Amino acid sequence: MPMNEVIYEKRKELGLTQEQIAAYLGVSAPAVNKWEKGNTYPDITLLPALARLLKVDLNTLLCFQDGPSQQEIYYFSNEAAKLIRSDGIDAGFQEMKQKIREYPRCAALIHTFALVLDGALIMSELTAEEKELYEKELLDWYRRVAESDDEKQKTNAAYMLASRYMRRREFENAQKMIDLLPEHNILDKRTLQAELYLQEGKEESLSEAANLTQRRLMTLAMEISSTLNRMVRIEMASGNAEKAERIAELAANAADLLELGDYFAAISPLDIASARKDIQKSVLLIERMLSSVPDLWKMQDSLLYGRIAEFTDHKASAANILPPLLTQLEQAPEFDFLRGSEEFEKIVEKYKKKL
């Protein structure tokens, strides 16, 4: 928080007026007003007395924070990601550990590093045993953030932890994290902002309204796809195979209707085929998914998402999806029945070469 904001916030918190601050320090009220606006700063000789009056220490008043700025966090994480790409995961991991030792209470830094490491592990070709070497530290990073006082980072970390615990089948721990999450809020800032732009009616405002609305639609479309897929898995787990298949068909149709493409249209049908150990159909659906990856998020000609295409690097997004998808196909237990299938092995090898 900049010094001008510290002065304003602490003055308000203590119920003081600008005139009272000015009288205490022997300056004019307009001078205090300029401090709070950030136009000028107090003379250095006034700082100790101002800190005492506002009941803060000089470090807080001068904004000497325990943690790095947001720009520094971005720089540190970017450098760690570069190191991972050039020297491998362990080199970047050690660098991040060192930074966390320097800033042990900065939840934003720790959470950002956790996301970098998480993403690197997903995209790597490490075996499950090799990944486990980093998993303990990664869980610890997320836990530290989830137990911090930073509400935004705390919520994000709790969500990530809940997902990880579920994958590890640690259901009690997952529930504890879910209990920390806020209830879903149906109100969306983007919806209100888009309506404001629409009512303003200016050309640039309408463009912004379209961009925000299409991004909101994309979020909803992805949520619908994910929810239908979960319904398929619920019905399969409940022994209602026929109902699951009908919902999977609806999920595929919804993906087409919402212009999500072949990748998302194939997800639920693949779950059905995998559950039935149907090798031939599973292989066909896997081929369909993998072949559609290069065009994933290619929205230039999309009726629903064309306005946000200019902000989306679909090639980079697709390149990030293929490695973890291939790793999942090769290692996930639900695809064990495909091991040894010549067609399956050929498809995986074909797309590994494309990396």
Side-chain angles (χ1 to χ4, degrees):
M1 185 185 295
M3 184 191 293
N4 64 304
E5 292 183 19
V6 172
I7 297 171
Y8 174 80
E9 293 292 340
K10 291 299 179 181
R11 177 177 66 78
K12 286 289 187 180
E13 186 180 309
L14 294 169
L16 299 172
T17 64
Q18 291 182 344
E19 288 74 14
Q20 287 173 313
I21 298 284
Y24 183 87
L25 297 174
V27 298
S28 66
V32 177
N33 183 264
K34 289 180 181 179
W35 298 347
E36 293 187 356
K37 288 182 177 179
N39 295 332
T40 62
Y41 295 96
D43 187 274
I44 192 169
T45 59
L46 298 174
L47 293 179
L50 178 58
R52 286 193 296 273
L53 177 61
L54 296 177
K55 300 187 186 307
V56 297
D57 56 54
L58 277 173
N59 283 341
T60 300
L61 183 61
L62 294 170
C63 307
F64 292 153
Q65 305 293 335
D66 289 335
S69 67
Q70 190 58 49
Q71 184 61 34
E72 288 175 307
I73 291 173
Y74 174 79
Y75 176 79
F76 294 153
S77 62
N78 195 42
E79 289 300 302
K82 286 181 182 177
L83 197 57
I84 288 172
R85 288 194 293 271
S86 63
D87 297 354
I89 286 181
D90 198 63
F93 173 64
Q94 297 301 333
E95 176 67 18
M96 289 187 285
K97 281 182 66 176
Q98 178 57 40
K99 283 297 176 188
I100 289 175
R101 281 194 287 268
E102 291 178 32
Y103 305 104
R105 292 185 291 176
C106 183
L109 176 72
I110 299 171
H111 188 241
T112 301
F113 279 170
L115 293 174
V116 171
L117 179 59
D118 214 343
L121 290 173
I122 290 172
M123 294 179 62
S124 76
E125 295 184 0
L126 297 178
T127 65
E129 291 74 20
E130 290 171 329
K131 290 180 180 179
E132 189 62 31
L133 297 174
Y134 302 97
E135 184 73 10
K136 182 178 178 182
E137 195 79 33
L138 188 56
L139 284 171
D140 180 62
W141 289 357
Y142 280 131
R143 283 194 204 101
R144 288 169 65 176
V145 179
E147 294 169 0
S148 73
D149 295 326
D150 187 325
E151 289 301 322
K152 179 182 177 181
Q153 303 299 337
K154 181 176 182 176
T155 297
N156 293 338
Y159 187 95
M160 295 299 293
L161 268 176
S163 300
R164 298 193 78 80
Y165 282 138
M166 282 189 279
R167 289 201 299 272
R168 296 167 69 90
R169 303 190 68 78
E170 296 180 28
F171 300 130
E172 186 176 339
N173 285 330
Q175 185 62 60
K176 288 177 181 177
M177 292 301 107
I178 291 174
D179 290 340
L180 293 177
L181 297 173
E183 294 297 323
H184 178 66
N185 187 350
I186 62 171
L187 301 176
D188 188 280
K189 178 180 178 180
R190 290 172 298 182
T191 301
L192 194 60
Q193 185 67 70
E195 184 61 29
L196 173 61
Y197 285 143
L198 175 59
Q199 292 192 25
E200 283 181 340
K202 301 174 185 176
E203 184 177 350
E204 62 272 20
S205 295
L206 291 174
S207 178
E208 288 293 339
N211 181 22
L212 285 171
T213 301
Q214 290 191 0
R215 288 183 181 278
R216 174 62 173 154
L217 178 60
M218 174 67 77
T219 299
L220 292 172
M222 296 291 291
E223 187 173 343
I224 289 170
S225 177
S226 174
T227 302
L228 286 171
N229 178 251
R230 191 177 303 111
M231 289 175 67
V232 169
R233 292 186 287 119
I234 289 170
E235 296 301 341
M236 287 295 290
S238 302
N240 302 320
E242 184 179 345
K243 186 180 287 188
E245 188 165 352
R246 285 162 54 197
I247 297 174
E249 186 176 344
L250 288 175
N253 291 337
D256 289 335
L257 179 65
L258 294 169
E259 294 191 359
L260 293 179
D262 282 351
Y263 181 90
F264 290 96
I267 291 175
S268 289
L270 179 58
D271 279 345
I272 298 288
S274 298
R276 291 178 171 172
K277 304 293 190 291
D278 186 332
I279 295 177
Q280 184 177 5
K281 192 165 186 179
S282 294
V283 168
L284 288 173
L285 288 165
I286 288 169
E287 172 70 26
R288 180 183 177 188
M289 290 179 72
L290 291 173
S291 65
S292 69
V293 166
D295 291 327
L296 201 58
W297 312 125
K298 188 177 182 180
M299 300 172 289
Q300 284 83 351
D301 300 322
S302 168
L303 178 65
L304 300 180
Y305 312 115
R307 296 276 197 146
I308 60 176
E310 60 185 292
F311 302 102
T312 305
D313 185 349
H314 82 276
K315 291 183 178 179
S317 299
N320 288 338
I321 287 174
L322 195 54
L325 179 57
L326 289 171
T327 299
Q328 182 184 17
L329 290 171
E330 288 187 303
Q331 298 182 9
E334 60 264 34
F335 296 118
D336 282 347
F337 73 99
L338 291 171
R339 314 284 183 252
S341 165
E342 187 176 348
E343 285 183 272
F344 172 73
E345 300 294 345
K346 281 183 179 179
I347 289 173
V348 171
E349 193 59 33
K350 171 184 173 182
Y351 285 94
K352 284 179 73 174
K353 289 180 180 178
K354 289 180 181 291
L355 294 178

